Structure formats: C-alpha cells, structure tokens
Amino acid sequence: MVGRYQEYQVIGRRLPDEKDASPKLYRMRIFAPNDVVAKSRFWYYLRKLRKIKKAHGELVSINQIHEKKPEKVKNFGIWLRYDSRSGTHNMYKEFRELSRADAVESLYQDMAARHRARFRSIQILRVTELEKTSDVRRANIKQLLDPQLRFPLPHRAVKSRSLFVAKRPSTFY
C-alpha cells in the first residue's frame, strides 16, 4: 500500500548569469504527496534560507527516493519545527514504521492530533533511522524493543461447528 507522502530529492540552483556562470547547487529531501508539492516546498525553503526565488532559479533534478528495505520495521527520530498559535517550537519525536515516508505521515497525524498543527505550519528538519537500541529515547518506543516481547491473547473462544453444544466453552489457555 502506498502512503500519502513520498520522499523526493530536489536539486536546484540560482539561474546562471555573467557574474556567476556555475552557481552553487542546493539539494533537499522533501516529503510531499506529489512532485508538484515537493517543488513548491523546495522553493519555499530556498527562499527562506538563501534568498533565491523561483523566478531567479531553476530545478536541476527531482527524484523520488524509495525505501531500501520496505518490509523491515525500523525506528525513526524526527527533528521538526512548527508554528503553534502562541509561537514557534522545536521538537524531537520518535516513530516505529516501515519507511521514512510512513514515519513522516505518522508525524503529521500525531502533530495534527496532539497540537492541531497543519501541514503548512510543520517544517521537518531531519529524519534519521535509529540503528542502535541505545539511541532510542522515548518510552513508548523503548517498550517495543524487548526481544522477549509477547502479546497474549486472553479469553479466546473456540468456534464450534454446531449451534448447540453440550458443554460451556473453555476460554482459558
């Protein structure tokens, strides 16, 4: 199943002119629903960071980045900045997902639920995969790292073929 957000690598630069024939390239990894939104977010961030507008710049390339191991469950740490009703806040969150794009999707859902933050007010600073279990900080992710983790299935009733049975069902195993 494809998630709502994909990861894109967007590379762009200022337009070449007589003063600077080969301008510096800027590369960003952007999470967006499609490449149109990814390009728009690229110019939004570049305008804020480097004073380069879309009218005075060009895109060199845009590529979608795919997960190397999409079947493996991984832990992700995400640094972000978001604008709330009272001000701008920095934050670090951890998620356990199959891919970076799924972790970012969970982040947007979590921020919308807990902080009423919209997509436009969230800026993702960095997404890293936490390879070592010692890198995990949050308790809700730490509790899932136990190798002897088990999920008991209490009060299971066995389905019988007939409608009327002579004895009560045993739900204790």
PDB file of all heavy atoms in Angstrom, residues 67-88:
ATOM      1  N   GLU A  67      12.412   3.409  -0.303  1.00  0.00           N
ATOM      2  CA  GLU A  67      12.991   2.757   0.875  1.00  0.00           C
ATOM      3  C   GLU A  67      13.789   1.524   0.440  1.00  0.00           C
ATOM      4  O   GLU A  67      13.359   0.769  -0.430  1.00  0.00           O
ATOM      5  CB  GLU A  67      11.861   2.348   1.828  1.00  0.00           C
ATOM      6  CG  GLU A  67      12.308   1.934   3.194  1.00  0.00           C
ATOM      7  CD  GLU A  67      12.837   3.072   4.043  1.00  0.00           C
ATOM      8  OE1 GLU A  67      12.443   4.216   3.826  1.00  0.00           O
ATOM      9  OE2 GLU A  67      13.673   2.794   4.922  1.00  0.00           O
ATOM     10  N   LYS A  68      14.990   1.326   1.061  1.00  0.00           N
ATOM     11  CA  LYS A  68      15.821   0.179   0.693  1.00  0.00           C
ATOM     12  C   LYS A  68      15.201  -1.140   1.144  1.00  0.00           C
ATOM     13  O   LYS A  68      15.196  -2.119   0.412  1.00  0.00           O
ATOM     14  CB  LYS A  68      17.214   0.333   1.321  1.00  0.00           C
ATOM     15  CG  LYS A  68      18.074   1.373   0.640  1.00  0.00           C
ATOM     16  CD  LYS A  68      19.514   1.286   1.116  1.00  0.00           C
ATOM     17  CE  LYS A  68      20.392   2.288   0.422  1.00  0.00           C
ATOM     18  NZ  LYS A  68      20.333   3.622   1.023  1.00  0.00           N
ATOM     19  N   LYS A  69      14.698  -1.156   2.391  1.00  0.00           N
ATOM     20  CA  LYS A  69      14.086  -2.380   2.928  1.00  0.00           C
ATOM     21  C   LYS A  69      12.679  -2.042   3.433  1.00  0.00           C
ATOM     22  O   LYS A  69      12.485  -1.792   4.627  1.00  0.00           O
ATOM     23  CB  LYS A  69      14.929  -2.934   4.079  1.00  0.00           C
ATOM     24  CG  LYS A  69      16.296  -3.417   3.652  1.00  0.00           C
ATOM     25  CD  LYS A  69      17.054  -3.998   4.822  1.00  0.00           C
ATOM     26  CE  LYS A  69      18.418  -4.469   4.389  1.00  0.00           C
ATOM     27  NZ  LYS A  69      19.213  -4.953   5.520  1.00  0.00           N
ATOM     28  N   PRO A  70      11.691  -2.054   2.539  1.00  0.00           N
ATOM     29  CA  PRO A  70      10.343  -1.636   2.956  1.00  0.00           C
ATOM     30  C   PRO A  70       9.600  -2.661   3.811  1.00  0.00           C
ATOM     31  O   PRO A  70       8.549  -2.346   4.353  1.00  0.00           O
ATOM     32  CB  PRO A  70       9.621  -1.408   1.624  1.00  0.00           C
ATOM     33  CG  PRO A  70      10.363  -2.205   0.633  1.00  0.00           C
ATOM     34  CD  PRO A  70      11.778  -2.306   1.112  1.00  0.00           C
ATOM     35  N   GLU A  71      10.138  -3.887   3.948  1.00  0.00           N
ATOM     36  CA  GLU A  71       9.461  -4.901   4.770  1.00  0.00           C
ATOM     37  C   GLU A  71       9.980  -4.947   6.204  1.00  0.00           C
ATOM     38  O   GLU A  71       9.421  -5.646   7.037  1.00  0.00           O
ATOM     39  CB  GLU A  71       9.626  -6.296   4.143  1.00  0.00           C
ATOM     40  CG  GLU A  71       8.843  -6.487   2.855  1.00  0.00           C
ATOM     41  CD  GLU A  71       9.629  -6.053   1.628  1.00  0.00           C
ATOM     42  OE1 GLU A  71      10.872  -6.128   1.677  1.00  0.00           O
ATOM     43  OE2 GLU A  71       8.995  -5.625   0.652  1.00  0.00           O
ATOM     44  N   LYS A  72      11.075  -4.227   6.496  1.00  0.00           N
ATOM     45  CA  LYS A  72      11.690  -4.266   7.824  1.00  0.00           C
ATOM     46  C   LYS A  72      11.151  -3.120   8.689  1.00  0.00           C
ATOM     47  O   LYS A  72      11.078  -1.980   8.237  1.00  0.00           O
ATOM     48  CB  LYS A  72      13.208  -4.132   7.675  1.00  0.00           C
ATOM     49  CG  LYS A  72      13.954  -4.177   8.982  1.00  0.00           C
ATOM     50  CD  LYS A  72      15.417  -3.865   8.779  1.00  0.00           C
ATOM     51  CE  LYS A  72      16.091  -3.672  10.111  1.00  0.00           C
ATOM     52  NZ  LYS A  72      17.333  -2.937  10.019  1.00  0.00           N
ATOM     53  N   VAL A  73      10.771  -3.441   9.922  1.00  0.00           N
ATOM     54  CA  VAL A  73      10.296  -2.416  10.855  1.00  0.00           C
ATOM     55  C   VAL A  73      11.509  -1.693  11.430  1.00  0.00           C
ATOM     56  O   VAL A  73      12.462  -2.330  11.886  1.00  0.00           O
ATOM     57  CB  VAL A  73       9.449  -3.046  11.984  1.00  0.00           C
ATOM     58  CG1 VAL A  73       9.011  -1.985  12.964  1.00  0.00           C
ATOM     59  CG2 VAL A  73       8.260  -3.758  11.405  1.00  0.00           C
ATOM     60  N   LYS A  74      11.475  -0.353  11.392  1.00  0.00           N
ATOM     61  CA  LYS A  74      12.613   0.450  11.838  1.00  0.00           C
ATOM     62  C   LYS A  74      12.137   1.552  12.780  1.00  0.00           C
ATOM     63  O   LYS A  74      10.970   1.922  12.766  1.00  0.00           O
ATOM     64  CB  LYS A  74      13.318   1.087  10.625  1.00  0.00           C
ATOM     65  CG  LYS A  74      13.874   0.079   9.639  1.00  0.00           C
ATOM     66  CD  LYS A  74      14.359   0.698   8.375  1.00  0.00           C
ATOM     67  CE  LYS A  74      13.308   0.923   7.342  1.00  0.00           C
ATOM     68  NZ  LYS A  74      12.661  -0.228   6.769  1.00  0.00           N
ATOM     69  N   ASN A  75      13.076   2.061  13.582  1.00  0.00           N
ATOM     70  CA  ASN A  75      12.791   3.182  14.470  1.00  0.00           C
ATOM     71  C   ASN A  75      13.346   4.459  13.837  1.00  0.00           C
ATOM     72  O   ASN A  75      14.470   4.461  13.348  1.00  0.00           O
ATOM     73  CB  ASN A  75      13.436   2.964  15.840  1.00  0.00           C
ATOM     74  CG  ASN A  75      12.982   1.670  16.476  1.00  0.00           C
ATOM     75  OD1 ASN A  75      11.802   1.378  16.498  1.00  0.00           O
ATOM     76  ND2 ASN A  75      13.917   0.884  16.966  1.00  0.00           N
ATOM     77  N   PHE A  76      12.556   5.522  13.862  1.00  0.00           N
ATOM     78  CA  PHE A  76      12.972   6.785  13.263  1.00  0.00           C
ATOM     79  C   PHE A  76      12.895   7.907  14.285  1.00  0.00           C
ATOM     80  O   PHE A  76      11.942   7.968  15.073  1.00  0.00           O
ATOM     81  CB  PHE A  76      12.073   7.142  12.070  1.00  0.00           C
ATOM     82  CG  PHE A  76      12.208   6.193  10.914  1.00  0.00           C
ATOM     83  CD1 PHE A  76      11.303   5.167  10.733  1.00  0.00           C
ATOM     84  CD2 PHE A  76      13.251   6.325  10.022  1.00  0.00           C
ATOM     85  CE1 PHE A  76      11.423   4.293   9.674  1.00  0.00           C
ATOM     86  CE2 PHE A  76      13.385   5.452   8.958  1.00  0.00           C
ATOM     87  CZ  PHE A  76      12.474   4.430   8.796  1.00  0.00           C
ATOM     88  N   GLY A  77      13.891   8.788  14.252  1.00  0.00           N
ATOM     89  CA  GLY A  77      13.878  10.008  15.039  1.00  0.00           C
ATOM     90  C   GLY A  77      13.680  11.181  14.096  1.00  0.00           C
ATOM     91  O   GLY A  77      14.348  11.269  13.068  1.00  0.00           O
ATOM     92  N   ILE A  78      12.737  12.072  14.440  1.00  0.00           N
ATOM     93  CA  ILE A  78      12.423  13.207  13.568  1.00  0.00           C
ATOM     94  C   ILE A  78      12.558  14.500  14.357  1.00  0.00           C
ATOM     95  O   ILE A  78      11.931  14.650  15.407  1.00  0.00           O
ATOM     96  CB  ILE A  78      11.003  13.088  12.983  1.00  0.00           C
ATOM     97  CG1 ILE A  78      10.855  11.775  12.195  1.00  0.00           C
ATOM     98  CG2 ILE A  78      10.687  14.278  12.088  1.00  0.00           C
ATOM     99  CD1 ILE A  78       9.489  11.553  11.626  1.00  0.00           C
ATOM    100  N   TRP A  79      13.395  15.411  13.855  1.00  0.00           N
ATOM    101  CA  TRP A  79      13.512  16.750  14.414  1.00  0.00           C
ATOM    102  C   TRP A  79      12.631  17.667  13.573  1.00  0.00           C
ATOM    103  O   TRP A  79      12.690  17.623  12.343  1.00  0.00           O
ATOM    104  CB  TRP A  79      14.956  17.225  14.355  1.00  0.00           C
ATOM    105  CG  TRP A  79      15.840  16.622  15.386  1.00  0.00           C
ATOM    106  CD1 TRP A  79      16.206  17.162  16.570  1.00  0.00           C
ATOM    107  CD2 TRP A  79      16.505  15.347  15.318  1.00  0.00           C
ATOM    108  NE1 TRP A  79      17.045  16.312  17.243  1.00  0.00           N
ATOM    109  CE2 TRP A  79      17.233  15.193  16.500  1.00  0.00           C
ATOM    110  CE3 TRP A  79      16.529  14.324  14.370  1.00  0.00           C
ATOM    111  CZ2 TRP A  79      17.999  14.060  16.768  1.00  0.00           C
ATOM    112  CZ3 TRP A  79      17.267  13.195  14.627  1.00  0.00           C
ATOM    113  CH2 TRP A  79      18.007  13.078  15.809  1.00  0.00           C
ATOM    114  N   LEU A  80      11.858  18.519  14.229  1.00  0.00           N
ATOM    115  CA  LEU A  80      10.963  19.394  13.483  1.00  0.00           C
ATOM    116  C   LEU A  80      10.798  20.729  14.177  1.00  0.00           C
ATOM    117  O   LEU A  80      11.134  20.883  15.355  1.00  0.00           O
ATOM    118  CB  LEU A  80       9.590  18.738  13.292  1.00  0.00           C
ATOM    119  CG  LEU A  80       8.759  18.540  14.553  1.00  0.00           C
ATOM    120  CD1 LEU A  80       7.355  19.033  14.313  1.00  0.00           C
ATOM    121  CD2 LEU A  80       8.723  17.070  14.902  1.00  0.00           C
ATOM    122  N   ARG A  81      10.286  21.685  13.421  1.00  0.00           N
ATOM    123  CA  ARG A  81       9.920  22.998  13.930  1.00  0.00           C
ATOM    124  C   ARG A  81       8.493  23.231  13.478  1.00  0.00           C
ATOM    125  O   ARG A  81       8.143  22.924  12.336  1.00  0.00           O
ATOM    126  CB  ARG A  81      10.845  24.054  13.324  1.00  0.00           C
ATOM    127  CG  ARG A  81      10.477  25.478  13.702  1.00  0.00           C
ATOM    128  CD  ARG A  81      11.252  26.508  12.893  1.00  0.00           C
ATOM    129  NE  ARG A  81      12.694  26.346  13.024  1.00  0.00           N
ATOM    130  CZ  ARG A  81      13.520  26.241  12.005  1.00  0.00           C
ATOM    131  NH1 ARG A  81      13.077  26.252  10.768  1.00  0.00           N
ATOM    132  NH2 ARG A  81      14.810  26.117  12.207  1.00  0.00           N
ATOM    133  N   TYR A  82       7.663  23.740  14.400  1.00  0.00           N
ATOM    134  CA  TYR A  82       6.295  24.019  13.980  1.00  0.00           C
ATOM    135  C   TYR A  82       5.793  25.305  14.606  1.00  0.00           C
ATOM    136  O   TYR A  82       6.259  25.715  15.668  1.00  0.00           O
ATOM    137  CB  TYR A  82       5.364  22.840  14.293  1.00  0.00           C
ATOM    138  CG  TYR A  82       4.877  22.766  15.714  1.00  0.00           C
ATOM    139  CD1 TYR A  82       3.596  23.201  16.050  1.00  0.00           C
ATOM    140  CD2 TYR A  82       5.677  22.263  16.726  1.00  0.00           C
ATOM    141  CE1 TYR A  82       3.141  23.140  17.354  1.00  0.00           C
ATOM    142  CE2 TYR A  82       5.224  22.194  18.025  1.00  0.00           C
ATOM    143  CZ  TYR A  82       3.955  22.628  18.338  1.00  0.00           C
ATOM    144  OH  TYR A  82       3.498  22.571  19.625  1.00  0.00           O
ATOM    145  N   ASP A  83       4.877  25.948  13.905  1.00  0.00           N
ATOM    146  CA  ASP A  83       4.259  27.176  14.379  1.00  0.00           C
ATOM    147  C   ASP A  83       2.938  26.832  15.042  1.00  0.00           C
ATOM    148  O   ASP A  83       2.050  26.276  14.391  1.00  0.00           O
ATOM    149  CB  ASP A  83       4.011  28.135  13.217  1.00  0.00           C
ATOM    150  CG  ASP A  83       5.297  28.578  12.561  1.00  0.00           C
ATOM    151  OD1 ASP A  83       6.260  28.827  13.301  1.00  0.00           O
ATOM    152  OD2 ASP A  83       5.341  28.675  11.319  1.00  0.00           O
ATOM    153  N   SER A  84       2.831  27.161  16.325  1.00  0.00           N
ATOM    154  CA  SER A  84       1.569  26.974  17.026  1.00  0.00           C
ATOM    155  C   SER A  84       0.843  28.314  17.083  1.00  0.00           C
ATOM    156  O   SER A  84       1.294  29.298  16.499  1.00  0.00           O
ATOM    157  CB  SER A  84       1.823  26.451  18.440  1.00  0.00           C
ATOM    158  OG  SER A  84       2.404  27.464  19.229  1.00  0.00           O
ATOM    159  N   ARG A  85      -0.244  28.346  17.822  1.00  0.00           N
ATOM    160  CA  ARG A  85      -0.982  29.598  17.945  1.00  0.00           C
ATOM    161  C   ARG A  85      -0.215  30.614  18.795  1.00  0.00           C
ATOM    162  O   ARG A  85      -0.440  31.810  18.687  1.00  0.00           O
ATOM    163  CB  ARG A  85      -2.340  29.322  18.577  1.00  0.00           C
ATOM    164  CG  ARG A  85      -3.222  28.493  17.666  1.00  0.00           C
ATOM    165  CD  ARG A  85      -4.584  28.255  18.286  1.00  0.00           C
ATOM    166  NE  ARG A  85      -5.395  27.438  17.387  1.00  0.00           N
ATOM    167  CZ  ARG A  85      -5.896  26.266  17.708  1.00  0.00           C
ATOM    168  NH1 ARG A  85      -5.677  25.744  18.900  1.00  0.00           N
ATOM    169  NH2 ARG A  85      -6.627  25.599  16.845  1.00  0.00           N
ATOM    170  N   SER A  86       0.713  30.105  19.624  1.00  0.00           N
ATOM    171  CA  SER A  86       1.425  31.008  20.533  1.00  0.00           C
ATOM    172  C   SER A  86       2.849  31.330  20.096  1.00  0.00           C
ATOM    173  O   SER A  86       3.447  32.265  20.604  1.00  0.00           O
ATOM    174  CB  SER A  86       1.446  30.413  21.938  1.00  0.00           C
ATOM    175  OG  SER A  86       2.089  29.166  21.922  1.00  0.00           O
ATOM    176  N   GLY A  87       3.424  30.543  19.186  1.00  0.00           N
ATOM    177  CA  GLY A  87       4.799  30.816  18.767  1.00  0.00           C
ATOM    178  C   GLY A  87       5.380  29.663  17.974  1.00  0.00           C
ATOM    179  O   GLY A  87       4.674  28.747  17.555  1.00  0.00           O
ATOM    180  N   THR A  88       6.706  29.683  17.783  1.00  0.00           N
ATOM    181  CA  THR A  88       7.418  28.637  17.046  1.00  0.00           C
ATOM    182  C   THR A  88       8.128  27.733  18.034  1.00  0.00           C
ATOM    183  O   THR A  88       8.754  28.206  18.983  1.00  0.00           O
ATOM    184  CB  THR A  88       8.436  29.266  16.078  1.00  0.00           C
ATOM    185  OG1 THR A  88       7.744  30.189  15.240  1.00  0.00           O
ATOM    186  CG2 THR A  88       9.089  28.218  15.216  1.00  0.00           C
TER     187      THR A  88
END
